[in-house]
Amino acid sequence: MMVNKSTVKEEALKKIKITKTTASRLNEVDFNNLAFGKMYADHMLVADFDGKEWKNAEILPFQHLSVSPSNAAWHYGQAIFEGIKAYKDQEGHPMIFRPYDNFKRFNSSAERMGMPEVPEWLFIGGMDMLIDIDRDWVPTGEGCSLYLRPFMIATDEFIGVRPSDTYKFAIINSPSGPYFNKPIKLLVQDKYIRAFPGGVGFAKAAGNYGGTMYPTMQAKKQGYDQILWVDGYEHKYLQECGTMNVFAIIGNTAVTPDLLQGTILEGVTRASVIDVLTDMGLKVEERPISIDEIVTAHNNGTLREIFGTGTASSVAYVEQLDYKDMQIRLDTAKYDVGAEVIHRLDDIRTGRATDTRHWNYIIDRK
């Protein structure tokens, strides 16, 4: 996406105060052994919405937030977030992968949750400034990235069911390794439901994830890594794969659930994978796909691969899918489509391949 970065950055520089840490924690990081989401970079971005405008925008040392016990987000769930990744190109310059798509989705989530829109100078310009300051925290190891977590919470100190008047926006950064470091096992969940049409399934709202915790815990007790969620009416049409979008490679066609029902996230990685699959010459179908179709394709030998896609996981191979008494096992060593998708995406995100679609937002040199 082509944008006028200079204008956005100039506005951000005028409105965002910078207070740098005097004691960097960078030397505590083992970049050869990064877990996911367990360590945080030196700085964070915070800003407040006072009911009319965003103010008090500041980049400051990573620290705890002070929140009242009567905070509205804790009681009524007005909380949204995004997941974005930054990489380094072959010359060592930090690059954010498709941040404007996340910016658009963040504000879509905000609208659905009755929260204020976050302006471009704060979300994009602030993220640019933050990564510029913490550029040494962006890892370069295979499968590693700087994971960016923008989020917004209600901050009214009021126990009453109504939208908050005030909010806090923040961005924190975490140098991270792969989310999944091995193929995953899925249980098709036909009792608990993640989302219905008309709900908030398309939004990246905290409550979407809170409601999945218990059934996922039960699935993990049975030896599964995640749940393959299906619709709430017929309990057979695929929605999401854990916290990921899902793709099935059937013959030379890639099939993924469409977005028309508003029950699944409009994944940025999903959109990227669709473009890459098309470049590879596969036919891509966005449409309802049932578990029955998956079983039939497996039985007749046309089901080649199933994988999940998401910012955190990138592309996660599925090696086992259990539905009622049916067990589908897939040889992930033969996942040539998924492997090529990963290869092409990684090359674009790290500057090894030409970014023809302008997905990368390059952080200018100091």
Side-chain angles (χ1 to χ4, degrees), residues 155-355:
T155 54
D156 273 9
E157 298 177 9
F158 174 76
I159 299 178
V161 184
R162 62 161 174 75
S164 180
D165 292 322
T166 62
Y167 297 85
K168 183 174 289 290
F169 173 74
I171 304 176
I172 57 176
N173 306 326
S174 175
S176 297
Y179 191 81
F180 292 113
N181 55 17
K182 61 180 180 62
I184 61 175
K185 298 179 181 179
L186 296 179
L187 172 67
V188 178
Q189 175 57 258
D190 58 359
K191 177 182 178 182
Y192 299 101
I193 304 303
R194 178 188 170 274
F196 281 92
V200 296
F202 70 91
K204 211 160 175 63
N208 278 344
Y209 299 82
T212 68
M213 297 297 182
Y214 176 76
T216 302
M217 285 169 54
Q218 301 309 304
K220 288 186 176 181
K221 288 179 181 178
Q222 299 175 58
Y224 301 99
D225 297 294
Q226 283 289 349
I227 286 172
L228 179 57
W229 300 98
V230 294
D231 73 288
Y233 293 123
E234 299 183 62
H235 304 284
K236 67 177 185 179
Y237 288 101
L238 277 55
Q239 290 187 346
E240 291 191 7
C241 165
T243 59
M244 302 174 284
N245 296 116
V246 62
F247 285 79
I249 309 300
I250 302 174
N252 290 319
T253 300
V255 186
T256 190
D258 62 55
L259 306 173
L260 300 180
Q261 295 292 315
T263 55
I264 67 174
L265 198 67
E266 187 175 354
V268 176
T269 306
R270 173 187 182 275
S272 306
V273 168
I274 288 173
D275 284 342
V276 169
L277 288 168
T278 302
D279 290 346
M280 291 166 54
L282 274 77
K283 180 182 179 182
V284 180
E285 294 180 356
E286 298 179 68
R287 61 169 175 81
I289 177 171
S290 71
I291 188 62
D292 297 328
E293 183 177 349
I294 296 292
V295 171
T296 298
H298 174 257
N299 290 340
N300 66 27
T302 59
L303 179 64
R304 295 168 56 187
E305 305 178 20
I306 300 175
F307 51 78
T309 65
T311 298
S313 58
S314 188
V315 176
Y317 296 168
V318 175
E319 67 176 2
Q320 182 178 321
L321 177 65
D322 286 6
Y323 173 60
K324 298 186 184 298
D325 296 328
M326 166 72 69
Q327 184 176 96
I328 294 175
R329 288 185 175 273
L330 296 164
D331 185 357
T332 58
K334 297 180 179 179
Y335 270 34
D336 55 336
V337 174
E340 182 64 16
V341 168
I342 294 171
H343 173 71
R344 293 193 184 204
L345 281 178
D346 283 348
D347 279 357
I348 295 169
R349 291 182 295 208
T350 58
R352 292 192 295 260
T354 303
D355 180 19

Side-chain angles (χ1 to χ4, degrees), residues 114-162:
M115 304 169 84
E117 181 177 290
V118 173
E120 185 179 355
W121 66 264
L122 180 56
F123 191 102
I124 299 292
M127 188 179 299
D128 184 320
M129 291 173 60
L130 181 63
I131 297 176
D132 189 11
I133 292 171
D134 279 339
R135 61 174 54 224
D136 291 338
W137 286 80
V138 183
T140 57
E142 193 68 29
C144 297
S145 62
L146 184 68
Y147 183 80
L148 316 173
R149 173 52 62 90
F151 64 93
M152 175 165 47
I153 60 171
T155 54
D156 273 9
E157 298 177 9
F158 174 76
I159 299 178
V161 184
R162 62 161 174 75

Side-chain angles (χ1 to χ4, degrees), residues 7-16 45 47 53-58 100 103 118-129:
T7 302
V8 175
K9 185 71 174 287
E10 287 172 7
E11 187 173 5
L13 286 168
K14 291 177 182 178
K15 294 182 176 180
I16 300 175
L45 168 70
E53 63 180 350
W54 287 98
K55 63 182 185 179
N56 303 328
E58 183 176 6
Y100 270 91
F103 171 58
V118 173
E120 185 179 355
W121 66 264
L122 180 56
F123 191 102
I124 299 292
M127 188 179 299
D128 184 320
M129 291 173 60

Side-chain angles (χ1 to χ4, degrees), residues 32-50:
N32 295 315
N33 187 31
L34 289 174
F36 187 91
K38 291 190 175 181
M39 177 167 282
Y40 301 94
D42 281 331
H43 298 90
M44 61 191 288
L45 168 70
V46 296
D48 297 312
F49 185 77
D50 66 0

